[in-house]
Amino acid sequence: MSITAILIAALVMSVLGLAFGALLGVTGRVFKVPSNPKVEALRECLPGANCGACGFPGCDGYAAAVADGKAEVGACAVGGPKCSAKMAEIMGVSVSSSKRMIATVACQGYGDHCAPKAEYQGMTDCVAASLVNNGTKACAFACLGLGTCERACPFDAIHIDPVKKIAVVDKDKCQGCKKCVAACPQHVLSMQPDDRVVTVSCHNPGKGIALKEKCDRACIGCEACVKACNFEALTMENGVPKVDYDKCVGCMACADACPTGAMAADLQTRKEAYIDPSKCVGCTLCTRQCKFDAIEGALKQPHKVLGACTGCGLCAAKCPKKAITMRERRAPRNKMDKVKKAPAAAKPAAPAAKSPEQK
């Protein structure tokens, strides 16, 4: 082939390249789809975890849905309140502050508390084990400890305790994506507020003392916790107590009343009220606020907190003189150490009916 032919071919290809490039440029301008600048701004706010907890396929999908008005801001569990606030600012809307939610294990069926029902030799998967004779433990609602939730977590926030053989959540790592909740065939996991004080650590809907034969930490549905709550924060739902954390004040009276330990609370963190006698004027407002009869004192005399105090803090919040503070407990709560109330006066007996002779 001559040099002339090569040059002609190169020239033709160059001309064609320039022509097609110009054509593509014109076509791109003519058929350009206008982009929404909010999508890019929203995408910059998101953490890029692409966990899917928001209900959309990744952060890009969620950002596009919010920009198009098909989704609300605040659905990104990983980004948290700061991310929600930035997105709300971009969209010109307000977002309500919400509590941080984390995965919580509702089971204490480990060790001698809940013995294995049979030796399991199948797949190391909770779904597979749950299909074999209703699980591997005496309680059909127990955590099977085979790590399905651990493998589902994209944040390394949940692991199987090597000794207890049940799932344990790392609060600091949990991003509230709910993937472990969806993966658990036993429904042991649920989302609860990170700052909760009490936790219902059993979800067996059964009732009766016979449940203790399967697990000695089981909730037996006795409702003692509901009766002990003076703030209407507990109700029974599907056989187990449910906590309304908006009403719960952290008094832990429900945990005191639970006979099996199914209502779990860290009693070591419980506070107690202290009344500074130099500031107390004896207005008795604190005694009227206390729902546990744990404050005694006469009118216009310094008052005193008794051992029945649960540390709920109502008295401190209502004291007009700021004479009450919450401090570390000096001794465990003694629920019997209450104000001794005078017995109610006996009602006078009704007069006996007169006989016909008396009339």
Side-chain angles (χ1 to χ4, degrees), residues 103-106 149 158 167 169 180-182 184 186-191 203:
T104 306
V105 181
C149 56
I158 186 167
V169 178
C180 59
V181 176
C184 179
Q186 297 293 92
H187 307 294
V188 167
L189 289 154
S190 63
M191 304 305 296
H203 71 117

Side-chain angles (χ1 to χ4, degrees), residues 80-91:
K82 291 183 179 179
C83 174
S84 299
K86 291 180 180 178
M87 295 180 72
E89 183 179 353
I90 293 170
M91 295 300 296

Side-chain angles (χ1 to χ4, degrees), residues 119-180:
E119 184 179 356
Y120 176 70
Q121 297 180 343
M123 296 174 58
T124 309
D125 180 75
C126 297
V127 177
S130 67
L131 299 175
V132 180
N133 197 22
N134 291 326
T136 60
K137 294 184 178 180
C139 175
F141 298 88
C143 173
L144 301 180
L146 296 178
T148 300
C149 56
E150 181 178 0
R151 292 185 289 273
C153 179
F155 304 103
D156 193 39
I158 186 167
H159 297 281
I160 303 302
D161 188 288
V163 177
K164 295 181 178 180
K165 302 298 182 182
I166 62 172
V168 178
V169 178
D170 186 330
K171 290 184 178 183
D172 296 331
K173 291 183 178 181
C174 181
Q175 301 295 327
C177 72
K178 305 179 186 177
K179 284 196 171 184
C180 59

Side-chain angles (χ1 to χ4, degrees), residues 90-293:
I90 293 170
M91 295 300 296
V93 297
S94 60
V95 59
S96 58
S97 59
S98 58
K99 294 181 179 179
R100 177 173 179 259
M101 306 293 282
I102 64 171
T104 306
V105 181
C107 179
Q108 298 183 78
Y110 56 86
D112 295 334
H113 299 309
C114 183
K117 180 168 53 179
E119 184 179 356
Y120 176 70
Q121 297 180 343
M123 296 174 58
T124 309
D125 180 75
C126 297
V127 177
S130 67
L131 299 175
V132 180
N133 197 22
N134 291 326
T136 60
K137 294 184 178 180
C139 175
F141 298 88
C143 173
L144 301 180
L146 296 178
T148 300
C149 56
E150 181 178 0
R151 292 185 289 273
C153 179
F155 304 103
D156 193 39
I158 186 167
H159 297 281
I160 303 302
D161 188 288
V163 177
K164 295 181 178 180
K165 302 298 182 182
I166 62 172
V168 178
V169 178
D170 186 330
K171 290 184 178 183
D172 296 331
K173 291 183 178 181
C174 181
Q175 301 295 327
C177 72
K178 305 179 186 177
K179 284 196 171 184
C180 59
V181 176
C184 179
Q186 297 293 92
H187 307 294
V188 167
L189 289 154
S190 63
M191 304 305 296
Q192 303 291 339
D194 180 29
D195 60 352
R196 68 193 183 284
V197 177
V198 293
T199 303
V200 183
S201 296
C202 177
H203 71 117
N204 190 328
K207 189 174 183 179
I209 199 68
L211 289 178
K212 293 192 68 176
E213 297 178 2
K214 298 179 179 180
C215 178
D216 60 13
R217 293 289 183 91
C219 172
I220 59 177
C222 65
E223 301 189 23
C225 55
V226 177
K227 297 172 184 175
C229 181
N230 291 326
F231 303 93
E232 299 181 349
L234 275 171
T235 54
M236 296 299 291
E237 186 174 292
N238 296 326
V240 294
K242 181 179 179 180
V243 183
D244 184 341
Y245 288 103
D246 290 330
K247 295 181 178 179
C248 178
V249 299
C251 69
M252 306 185 195
C254 53
D256 287 337
C258 181
T260 66
M263 184 67 71
D266 186 0
L267 298 177
Q268 298 298 321
T269 62
R270 175 185 259 164
K271 303 287 186 179
E272 68 176 354
Y274 168 72
I275 301 177
D276 186 341
S278 65
K279 295 181 180 179
C280 180
V281 295
C283 66
T284 72
L285 182 60
C286 56
T287 60
R288 297 195 297 271
Q289 288 295 321
C290 183
K291 296 180 180 292
F292 300 95
D293 298 328

Side-chain angles (χ1 to χ4, degrees), residues 10-35:
L11 180 61
V12 170
M13 293 301 296
S14 299
V15 171
L16 288 175
L18 290 172
F20 281 121
L23 181 62
L24 288 173
V26 173
T27 304
R29 289 180 177 275
V30 173
F31 296 100
K32 180 181 179 181
V33 178
S35 61

